[in-house]
């Protein structure tokens, strides 16, 4: 409150306390008055008249909180509930009565609507049957009248058709005569056209067969002459080609001969300069190749059998030669003949 005396009371009560402490004091005061008022009212009064309940709380609690310098400006009850569903059960009876009355009203309304609908449908069917009967009578009279009219119309139509067909036959006869005359004229014109066509065909044959044949013969003659000239020129070109190739090959042979002569000349000069030593070096260089060529056939021989008499020395000499030959060849040429299977076998047998 803003009055000085009440403000002073509020300061005396709450000065030094927090906002939460002030809220707790006011809340506890209001809760105490709520409990005291709840004890004087029935559950139905509290549930059905919440405004009166809130008014009583304001009237009872306002003096107490006013003495603390607090003014209640507004106090309302948001909700009233309990934990045993007593309050929710209060309205179930009235709700059931209202639901029952509503179901009865709906059933009575549906019954009345069904009765009224059946009555309306009966009246509709009666009117429909009467209308259908009148329509059938009218239709039958119409069909009878229509049949009479159709019979009369058919008679007139048949008469008109016969007259039309007779007149048509007469017109067809006239048309046929005119067509015959037209065919005679057309035939005469066709004969004249065929005569002209024969003349045209004759000229066309002359233009398309004889003249092109003469032209083709001339063309073939020209092609033959051109082919003859072509063959002559090709022969001349081939002869010139062969001559050029021969000259080139002769030049190559001449150059090779000169090179070989120069090589032989240089080799002869070298032999003359170094004498026997050069010749020996050449022989030694050639010996490995000569020995390899000589030994090459022996690599394909598996066994050699030497036959001799009792007093013959051929076998011993051959064995001696085979034993000494590998060492001599190896010393002179560096070729190891002992690795050849046949020589190896022979020398091993000798040993």
């Amino acid at each position: 409150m803003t009055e000085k005396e009440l403000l002073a009371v509020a300061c005396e009560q709450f000065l030094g306390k927090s906002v939460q402490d002030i809220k707790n004091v006011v809340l506890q005061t209001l809760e105490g008055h709520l409990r005291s008022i709840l004890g004087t009212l029935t559950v139905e009064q509290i549930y059905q008249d919440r405004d009166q309940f809130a008014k009583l709380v304001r009237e009872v609690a306002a003096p107490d909180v006013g003495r603390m310098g607090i003014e209640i400006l507004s106090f309302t009850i948001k909700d009233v509930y309990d934990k045993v569903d007593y309050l929710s059960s209060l309205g179930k009876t009235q709700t059931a009565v209202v639901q029952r009355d509503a179901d009865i009203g709906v059933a009575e309304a549906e019954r009345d609507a069904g009765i009224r609908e059946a009555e309306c449908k009966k009246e509709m069917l009666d009117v429909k049957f009467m209308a259908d009967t009148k329509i059938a009578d009218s239709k039958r009279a119409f069909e009878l009248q229509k049949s009479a009219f159709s019979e009369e119309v058919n008679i007139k139509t048949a008469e008109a058709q016969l007259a039309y067909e007779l007149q048509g036959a007469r017109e067809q006869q006239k048309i046929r005569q005119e067509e015959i005359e037209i065919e005679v004229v057309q035939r005469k014109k066709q004969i004249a056209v065929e005569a002209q066509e024969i003349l045209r065909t004759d000229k066309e044959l002359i233009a398309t067969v004889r003249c092109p044949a003469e032209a083709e013969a001339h063309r073939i003659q020209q092609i033959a002459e051109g082919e003859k000239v072509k063959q002559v020129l090709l022969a001349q070109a081939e002869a010139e080609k062969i001559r050029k190739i021969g000259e080139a090959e002769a030049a190559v042979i001449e150059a090779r001969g000169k090179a070989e002569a120069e090589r032989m000349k240089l080799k002869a000069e070298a032999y003359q300069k170094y004498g026997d030593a050069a010749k020996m070096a050449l022989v030694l260089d050639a010996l490995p190749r000569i020995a390899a060529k000589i030994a090459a056939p022996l690599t394909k021989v598996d066994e050699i059998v030497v036959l001799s008499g009792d007093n013959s020395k051929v076998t011993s000499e051959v064995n001696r030669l085979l034993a000494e030959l590998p060492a001599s060849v190896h010393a002179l040429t560096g070729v190891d003949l002992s690795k050849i299977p046949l020589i190896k076998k022979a020398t091993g047998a000798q040993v």
Side-chain angles (χ1 to χ4, degrees):
M1 294 181 179
T2 57
E3 295 181 6
K4 292 183 179 182
E5 295 180 357
L6 297 175
L7 185 60
V9 172
C11 291
E12 182 180 355
Q13 295 290 329
F14 301 111
L15 194 62
K17 294 183 179 181
S18 64
V19 175
Q20 187 62 39
D21 292 337
I22 297 172
K23 289 182 178 180
N24 290 335
V25 170
V26 176
L27 179 61
Q28 291 175 4
T29 302
L30 293 176
E31 286 179 349
H33 287 296
L34 278 172
R35 283 191 291 271
S36 62
I37 293 171
L38 285 172
T40 61
L41 300 174
T42 64
V43 177
E44 287 78 3
Q45 290 175 338
I46 296 170
Y47 186 73
Q48 295 174 0
D49 195 356
R50 298 185 185 184
D51 293 337
Q52 182 64 26
F53 179 36
K55 181 179 179 183
L56 291 175
V57 174
R58 285 196 301 271
E59 290 176 356
V60 174
D64 285 347
V65 296
R67 285 192 290 271
M68 292 185 293
I70 300 298
E71 180 182 6
I72 299 175
L73 299 178
S74 174
F75 183 84
T76 57
I77 304 299
K78 293 194 296 181
D79 193 13
V80 179
Y81 62 92
D82 66 314
K83 296 181 180 181
V84 294
D85 293 334
Y86 178 79
L87 296 175
S88 61
S89 299
L90 292 175
K92 288 183 178 180
T93 303
Q94 183 65 28
T95 302
V97 172
V98 174
Q99 184 66 36
R100 182 198 61 194
D101 294 342
D103 292 341
I104 292 171
V106 170
E108 291 177 351
E110 290 179 351
R111 180 199 62 193
D112 296 340
I115 294 171
R116 183 58 182 164
E117 183 179 0
E119 291 176 352
C120 292
K121 186 177 289 187
K122 180 178 178 300
E123 293 177 358
M124 180 191 69
L125 292 175
D126 292 340
V127 173
K128 182 176 181 299
F129 292 153
M130 292 177 65
D132 290 343
T133 301
K134 291 181 179 180
I135 291 171
D137 292 340
S138 300
K139 187 176 182 180
R140 181 174 57 82
F142 171 74
E143 291 295 336
L144 292 173
Q145 188 66 32
K146 182 179 179 182
S147 298
F149 291 156
S150 297
E151 183 179 358
E152 186 178 354
V153 169
N154 290 334
I155 293 170
K156 296 295 183 182
T157 302
E159 293 176 354
Q161 184 67 26
L162 291 173
Y164 172 76
E165 291 177 358
L166 181 59
Q167 185 63 31
R170 294 171 181 170
E171 295 296 330
Q172 286 295 329
Q173 186 177 5
K174 293 181 180 180
I175 292 171
R176 182 56 184 163
Q177 291 177 354
E178 295 292 335
E179 288 178 351
I180 292 172
E181 294 178 359
I182 293 171
E183 289 177 359
V184 172
V185 174
Q186 289 179 348
R187 184 57 182 165
K188 292 179 179 180
K189 290 183 178 181
Q190 186 176 2
I191 292 170
V193 170
E194 289 176 354
Q196 296 295 326
E197 181 65 20
I198 291 170
L199 294 175
R200 186 192 68 79
T201 304
D202 188 20
K203 292 180 180 180
E204 183 178 359
L205 289 173
I206 293 172
T208 58
V209 176
R210 189 172 65 186
C211 293
E214 294 175 354
E216 182 66 17
H218 180 70
R219 185 181 70 82
I220 293 172
Q221 183 180 0
Q222 293 297 323
I223 290 173
E225 292 178 357
E227 187 67 23
K228 178 181 176 181
V229 173
K230 176 182 176 182
Q231 294 297 329
V232 172
L233 293 175
L234 287 175
Q236 293 176 355
E238 185 67 21
E240 183 67 18
K241 174 183 175 182
I242 294 171
R243 188 180 65 79
K244 294 290 185 182
I245 292 173
E247 291 177 356
E249 291 177 352
V252 170
I253 293 171
E254 183 181 1
R256 286 179 179 175
K258 290 180 179 179
E260 185 66 22
E262 185 66 22
R263 185 177 69 81
M264 295 300 293
K265 179 181 178 182
L266 293 175
K267 186 182 291 186
E269 291 177 355
Y271 289 161
Q272 186 177 2
K273 181 177 180 181
Y274 292 101
D276 294 337
K279 295 177 181 179
M280 182 62 67
L282 290 174
V283 171
L284 292 176
D285 289 339
L287 278 177
R289 294 191 296 274
I290 295 170
K293 294 292 184 180
I294 294 171
L298 294 177
T299 59
K300 301 178 181 180
V301 178
D302 292 333
E303 185 176 1
I304 297 176
V305 179
V306 179
L307 301 176
S308 64
D310 295 335
N311 297 323
S312 177
K313 296 181 179 180
V314 175
T315 303
S316 59
E317 290 297 328
V318 170
N319 290 333
R320 185 182 62 78
L321 180 62
L322 289 175
E324 295 176 357
L325 182 62
S328 301
V329 173
H330 186 268
L332 292 173
T333 66
V335 177
D336 191 0
L337 295 178
S338 61
K339 294 182 179 180
I340 298 174
L342 180 62
I343 302 299
K344 186 176 181 181
K345 182 177 180 181
T347 55
Q350 179 65 28
V351 175

